[in-house]
Amino acid sequence: MPDRPEHFQPDAVTSIDSEVNMMARKIFKLLVLSCVWSVFLSAQELLLRNREVEAHFSEVGGSLSSLRYRGKLLTVPGQRSFTEQILALNQDGAQVRELFRTLEFTPAPAAGGASLTFTTQGVAAFDWLKLRKTYTLAAEGALLTVTYRLENLDREPHAAGLWIQTFLRRSEEVGITTNTVFQPRPEGLAELVHPGSNVRADEWVIAPTHRWLAVMGNDDRTGAMLRFPPRLVSAYYSWFGLSRNLSTVEGFIRELSIPPGGSREFSLELECSGDIPSLLQKYQGEADMITETEGQEILLPKSYSG
């Protein structure tokens, strides 16, 4: 075995190794704490919750990723709600659109934790448009308000309508849950039971009579009602996966004219309930009927519904 160099000092090396190990452990702890804190912050930024409602959100589409009411799931697992296509007629009278549902939104929580705002800007046909969505959960009760703000960044006037899609549905993590979607039509209230033999894959309402749509689980009557601004809603739509536990609740907002550098704003209300039939009865009055309209209707539903 070769002789050790004269400068080799075992005690000094042991001391240095100990200090290095201690520093490494400290750095590791700091990194772990940093990761835990980051996850905590992210969770806080994308969650709204009170005693009855828990809503989780995603930056993709600035969307609602899951909704629970008193512990019961009211969205389809793995699907995102409050995602949009932006629509307008061009100078030739053709419908143009852009899929804002695929864009990344920037989240910004409010100071009290009661609301969460997502912002993005169009990248194609609507590159002039900044879309801002603010979700506000009431401190008490089961009301989630979604406020849309459309800002025209151009020096020219523009117009934009919205196709808003949700996957609201009383669901379970596994298994089939029978639901009923309620659509107010000129001939009366349509009750679309799914799965069921009397429901089609595409169910359109071209001339809705009331400003709301609703869905509930048939076993417990728990579900949600989605209320639109009555002057602005243009049409309703639901898509049903005929062999799957999958369906949508969707609405169209009429084209809104936006002046150069100006903006338009409107709100939707999402109310959860353990007794959807009672909620339907509550919103049958004149105040919830569609009697006056503003803006150009969205033509796409008429062409799609045949």
Side-chain angles (χ1 to χ4, degrees), residues 6 21 34 38 52 72 76 80 166 172 185 223 231 275:
E6 293 181 0
N21 289 335
S34 175
S38 296
E52 297 192 29
K72 296 180 179 181
V76 175
R80 294 179 288 108
T166 78
E172 301 290 350
R185 301 177 177 181
R231 290 176 58 88
D275 188 358

Side-chain angles (χ1 to χ4, degrees), residues 33-45:
L33 288 173
S34 175
C35 290
V36 171
W37 184 245
S38 296
V39 170
F40 177 76
L41 285 179
S42 296
Q44 286 296 99
E45 289 174 352

